[in-house]
Amino acid sequence: MKYFVITIFLVFIVLSIHVIPTFADDIAKNANTSYKAAAKYFAKGQYKEAITLYDKILKDYPNHSTVLKMKGVAQSNLGQHQKSMSDFYKIYQKNQKDITAMLGLGVGFGNYGEYVEAKKYFDQAYSTYPNNTVAKNYKEYADKVIKKYPYKPTEKPKNWSEKPTQTVFESYTSKVATKVTKDKRYIEYPNPSFDVIKKFLRDYERWNFEQQIKTGSSGFPDPKITLENGTYVLNYKIFVNAQPPGLPLDHVSTLNQSTKFWQDQIFTTPNGNAIIKFSHADSKSDANIWVTWTVRKLGEGVLGHAHIGKGVVEVALGDYNCDGSFQLYDVASVEKIMRHELGHAIGLGHSNNTQSIMYPSMSPNYAYCLLS
């Protein structure tokens, strides 16, 4: 039998980066041209170039929410938190139900270690959009860090009100930035995506099976086949690669849920019914399947790799397609990728049925990206 590497591909969903806003007047043509050019820079993570073009548009459309939103995200990704919060607050003043503005403000305050203020916006986002995974993750972050890192919040300006003006808000964020620098406050950042990729890249070979994917699966032992009560049982031993310590999301559970899914299936073969049983292997040499999670680029639009029938399973934890920077997928997306790739590892090919877990493409959701 030959063993092939099978991949699952990303469906490129239309994100805010690529949506052209409406500019309806005689200077709209130039604005649209600038926005399209900015989107290309943004998608590549070239935020400074994108911001230059957003500023050009904002000279003619100073309160355009979409442009302010994109500029705010770009500034946030550059670490320009005061500037990003200023733009998010302009949006928030116009629409207090704009989820990107709420989350952007929460992320900004979180990046300064002002956890109580961050929690205010995260709580509002979650209460307004209780089914939004990104809002849920940020709310959980705020609940955790407030207990973990007690601190003295920055005092509000004397002219602070329930709905402060833009000028008063900006004076407060300036005060926050100054105090954080002075206090040398330890900060746990709201979006852990960048820290995750750094952890994986510190010991690249340990967390990745890139070489084994290229080598092929011929050296892996075949699964043991037994007959139990008239049903064939394919017994697979799985070696689960370690992950860097302190990852923010529970990715190991995605494997547990995926193995359970396949063990619950009954397969029809010419010789009778068959089922799958998985067990844990302590060493690679005993395993029919090696499983790992990775942040390396698996290829353009590729979410995972797997050999057919036995061998290596690689599952991506995130990509650069949401906002030009590395962003983690949510747990549900990682589980879906894992389930698909594990299906290949037990011998299944792709399906033409769009509802099947073995359909060759999917659109992942993100755990922390403001543009999700």
Side-chain angles (χ1 to χ4, degrees):
M1 179 184 291
K2 292 184 178 180
Y3 295 91
F4 302 93
V5 176
I6 302 292
T7 59
I8 182 172
F9 292 95
L10 166 71
V11 174
F12 287 96
I13 54 178
V14 179
L15 299 172
S16 299
I17 303 175
H18 307 290
V19 176
I20 308 301
T22 301
F23 301 101
D25 54 34
D26 56 352
I27 55 174
K29 184 176 180 180
N30 289 336
N32 284 325
T33 299
S34 294
Y35 191 88
K36 290 178 182 178
K40 292 179 181 179
Y41 284 124
F42 191 103
K44 296 176 183 178
Q46 296 174 324
Y47 303 119
K48 291 181 180 179
E49 292 83 353
I51 289 170
T52 298
L53 291 169
Y54 292 140
D55 282 337
K56 181 180 178 181
I57 299 170
L58 289 168
K59 286 181 180 179
D60 296 313
Y61 304 92
N63 297 311
H64 199 288
S65 294
T66 301
V67 180
L68 286 170
K69 192 178 299 184
M70 299 306 297
K71 182 186 173 188
V73 173
Q75 290 168 328
S76 180
N77 288 351
L78 285 174
Q80 299 173 357
H81 305 309
Q82 268 185 269
K83 292 180 179 180
S84 72
M85 284 193 288
S86 175
D87 285 330
F88 287 132
Y89 193 69
K90 290 175 184 176
I91 302 167
Y92 183 75
Q93 283 187 302
K94 291 172 60 179
N95 179 10
Q96 294 192 7
K97 291 187 177 182
D98 188 296
I99 190 168
T100 304
M102 287 186 280
L103 294 177
L105 288 166
V107 167
F109 281 113
N111 283 326
Y112 281 127
E114 285 289 334
Y115 303 126
V116 172
E117 203 66 21
K119 178 175 167 57
K120 165 189 166 184
Y121 291 104
F122 291 148
D123 284 351
Q124 184 183 357
Y126 183 66
S127 64
T128 307
Y129 302 98
N131 296 321
N132 186 283
T133 300
V134 177
K136 176 177 178 290
N137 287 339
Y138 278 128
K139 181 187 183 318
E140 290 176 353
Y141 152 83
D143 292 340
K144 179 184 69 174
V145 294
I146 283 177
K147 296 177 182 178
K148 192 174 179 181
Y149 304 113
Y151 74 103
K152 184 178 180 180
T154 303
E155 186 178 352
K156 300 281 178 59
K158 292 181 179 180
N159 55 348
W160 188 263
S161 63
E162 186 178 341
K163 295 180 180 179
T165 65
Q166 186 74 27
T167 301
V168 172
F169 179 81
E170 289 177 357
S171 70
Y172 172 56
T173 57
S174 177
K175 189 176 181 180
V176 167
T178 301
K179 188 175 188 299
V180 168
T181 302
K182 183 179 178 181
D183 291 351
K184 297 181 180 179
R185 185 182 298 171
Y186 178 79
I187 297 172
E188 183 172 319
Y189 297 105
N191 187 339
S193 298
F194 184 64
D195 286 337
V196 167
I197 197 169
K198 285 196 296 184
K199 287 181 178 182
F200 273 91
L201 293 179
R202 284 191 193 111
D203 196 351
Y204 181 86
E205 292 185 1
R206 181 180 180 186
W207 314 121
N208 292 277
F209 291 153
E210 183 176 8
Q211 187 57 46
Q212 288 82 1
I213 280 282
K214 294 177 180 178
T215 302
S217 61
S218 59
F220 285 74
D222 292 325
K224 183 179 179 181
I225 301 175
T226 58
L227 187 63
E228 298 179 9
N229 300 320
T231 298
Y232 290 96
V233 180
L234 280 73
N235 297 277
Y236 279 93
K237 291 185 176 181
I238 299 180
F239 173 81
V240 182
N241 198 26
Q243 291 191 94
L247 296 187
L249 301 173
D250 179 16
H251 296 116
V252 174
S253 68
T254 65
L255 175 60
N256 298 334
Q257 295 297 323
S258 298
T259 54
K260 182 180 184 304
F261 173 84
W262 289 117
Q263 287 182 145
D264 288 342
Q265 309 303 311
I266 299 176
F267 301 92
T268 302
T269 77
N271 297 320
N273 290 339
I275 60 173
I276 305 293
K277 284 188 178 180
F278 294 106
S279 60
H280 178 74
D282 293 324
S283 67
K284 292 179 180 178
S285 59
D286 293 333
N288 315 108
I289 299 171
W290 298 357
V291 170
T292 194
W293 296 265
T294 183
V295 300
R296 72 181 179 87
K297 291 186 177 182
L298 301 178
E300 185 64 34
V302 177
L303 303 176
H305 282 146
H307 292 113
I308 286 285
K310 61 180 182 178
V312 173
V313 167
E314 278 192 318
V315 172
L317 291 181
D319 63 33
Y320 294 81
N321 295 313
C322 185
D323 69 354
S325 67
F326 179 79
Q327 293 288 345
L328 290 166
Y329 299 142
D330 67 3
V331 171
S333 294
V334 175
E335 181 179 332
K336 190 173 181 180
I337 300 168
M338 175 63 74
R339 191 175 296 185
H340 177 99
E341 299 301 345
L342 199 60
H344 288 316
I346 61 174
L348 302 179
H350 282 145
S351 169
N352 292 325
N353 181 357
T354 57
Q355 302 304 309
S356 171
I357 189 62
M358 298 312 296
Y359 190 70
S361 61
M362 66 167 282
S363 299
N365 295 315
Y366 297 90
Y368 299 97
C369 182
L370 295 179
L371 296 180
S372 297

